[in-house]
Structure formats: C-alpha cells, structure tokens
Amino acid sequence: MSIQDLIRRIHVDEDESAFNELYKQYIYKLYQFACSFVEDGEAAEEIVNDVLIKLWTGRKNLGEIRNTQVYLYTSIKNTCLNHLRSVSSKKNNEQKLIDAYYFHLSVDPSQLLISKELSNHVLKAVNELPDRCKLIFKMVKEDDLSCNEVASILGLSNKTVFAQLAIALKKLDFALNNS
C-alpha cells in the first residue's frame, strides 16, 4: 500500500492498522537516518518513535502535509539536531554535526550477489567520498528519496544536491574502473 493511501486512512479513518503499516515501512530507514546524526542507537530509536507518535497524535492535521516522506525525514533531522543541542556543548555539537554525514552501507539481498571483492571496492570508494556526497548518495540510492526531497530535508538547493550526487557517481565510477 502506498504512503499516500496509508496517510489518507490515518487522517480520514483514524485507522490504527494503517499507522502500524506505515510504522513498519519506515522505522528502519528513519532509524538509520537518525543514527547518522546522533550516533546513539537508543536516542535514535526514541527520536524516531517520538516523531511517529507525533504523526499519529496530529493525524487530524495530516491533510496539510504535502509530502509525508519529506515531512518524516525533516522531522527526524530537526529532532536529532535539537537533541544534539540539548546534550552537548557547542564544541561537541559541532563535531557531531560533522560526523553526522558519515555513511554506512546497509546489507540488502541484492548485495549478497555481488562478489566480496567488488563489495569491498564499492565500500572503500563510498567511504572515500566527501562527507556531503556520502550522505546525499545514501539518501538518494538507499533511502529512495528524490533529489528534490533530499534538498528539502537537508536545506540545500536542488542544484547543490544534483551536483553532489553527480560528484559522488563520478568518483565511484572512477574508483571502480581503476581498481
């Protein structure tokens, strides 16, 4: 079922099973995204659950949200940033924000078909990308967000996201062809 159908059922019918389905579809992706900011699994889990609970409790206003996926990612980002500000000094906070762009490849069944050597080359190439490129590459290629959605979530221009994704793809292509 599409996210729009689930949101409509949550908003109009106050359907708890639709909310549970939405939760199942997005919990892992949102958790990974939150972890890239807070680097603390428990805090990330709490942040994601808080955002999803707010979605449920504010279900009467869901009709005002144009793109639920962007809304969820933006809410997670903002809640993570608020969390970082509340638990860290300014110096530690700046370091965590820099580290927030660290990229982690997740395992999916299609990767199991790729040889271990090629997987190692891909991982090495991705880890050598500049921080912003890594985050944008992850959001577009792993989280299936559009470039426009990524731009909205990260507060960047569309051109910046397109340029960073192009840089990432070019560097990955070069690294893989020269390994």
Side-chain angles (χ1 to χ4, degrees), residues 7 13 27 46 59 62 71 74-75 86-88 103 110 116 125 135 142 156 163-164 167:
I7 291 299
D13 303 331
I27 187 69
E46 188 174 321
R59 62 189 173 274
L62 287 178
Y71 170 81
T74 302
S75 295
S86 70
V87 298
S88 300
F103 177 80
S110 65
K116 185 174 181 177
L135 180 63
E142 286 189 10
L156 301 171
Q164 290 293 309
I167 290 167

Side-chain angles (χ1 to χ4, degrees), residues 85-122:
R85 276 190 286 273
S86 70
V87 298
S88 300
S89 68
K90 184 172 170 119
K91 184 176 180 181
N92 288 338
N93 194 17
E94 288 173 5
Q95 183 61 43
K96 286 185 180 186
L97 288 174
I98 291 168
D99 293 341
Y101 292 105
Y102 184 76
F103 177 80
H104 298 279
L105 278 177
S106 63
V107 177
D108 72 36
S110 65
Q111 286 181 333
L112 298 176
L113 299 175
I114 300 174
S115 72
K116 185 174 181 177
E117 183 177 325
L118 182 56
S119 292
N120 289 338
H121 287 302
V122 169

Side-chain angles (χ1 to χ4, degrees), residues 8-175:
R8 185 198 53 75
R9 286 178 45 203
I10 293 167
H11 172 64
V12 175
D13 303 331
E14 298 187 8
D15 186 343
E16 203 170 318
S17 65
F19 175 76
N20 289 335
E21 182 63 30
L22 178 85
Y23 183 92
K24 288 177 192 173
Q25 285 183 18
Y26 281 90
I27 187 69
Y28 183 69
K29 288 179 182 180
L30 294 174
Y31 172 77
Q32 283 187 313
F33 185 66
C35 282
S36 73
F37 284 93
V38 297
E39 297 178 352
D40 174 0
E42 288 182 31
E45 185 177 348
E46 188 174 321
I47 287 167
V48 171
N49 283 327
D50 286 350
V51 168
L52 290 172
I53 287 169
K54 285 179 186 175
L55 182 82
W56 173 253
T57 58
R59 62 189 173 274
K60 294 189 187 302
N61 298 321
L62 287 178
E64 299 170 14
I65 299 172
R66 292 180 192 243
N67 187 325
T68 307
Q69 199 169 20
V70 169
Y71 170 81
L72 288 171
Y73 278 89
T74 302
S75 295
I76 295 293
K77 178 191 83 169
N78 291 338
T79 305
C80 287
L81 293 176
N82 288 338
H83 171 77
L84 289 173
R85 276 190 286 273
S86 70
V87 298
S88 300
S89 68
K90 184 172 170 119
K91 184 176 180 181
N92 288 338
N93 194 17
E94 288 173 5
Q95 183 61 43
K96 286 185 180 186
L97 288 174
I98 291 168
D99 293 341
Y101 292 105
Y102 184 76
F103 177 80
H104 298 279
L105 278 177
S106 63
V107 177
D108 72 36
S110 65
Q111 286 181 333
L112 298 176
L113 299 175
I114 300 174
S115 72
K116 185 174 181 177
E117 183 177 325
L118 182 56
S119 292
N120 289 338
H121 287 302
V122 169
L123 182 58
K124 182 180 177 199
V126 168
N127 283 330
E128 291 174 356
L129 289 173
D131 293 338
R132 186 180 280 181
C133 285
K134 282 189 267 190
L135 180 63
I136 291 171
F137 181 81
K138 175 200 174 296
M139 293 175 76
V140 171
K141 296 299 181 183
E142 286 189 10
D143 295 340
D144 295 323
L145 294 169
S146 72
C147 290
N148 292 337
E149 291 169 333
V150 172
S152 177
I153 291 166
L154 297 179
L156 301 171
S157 71
N158 291 344
K159 287 183 181 182
T160 299
V161 171
F162 286 116
Q164 290 293 309
L165 186 58
I167 290 167
L169 293 173
K170 186 175 181 179
K171 287 185 180 207
L172 288 173
D173 183 51
F174 180 79

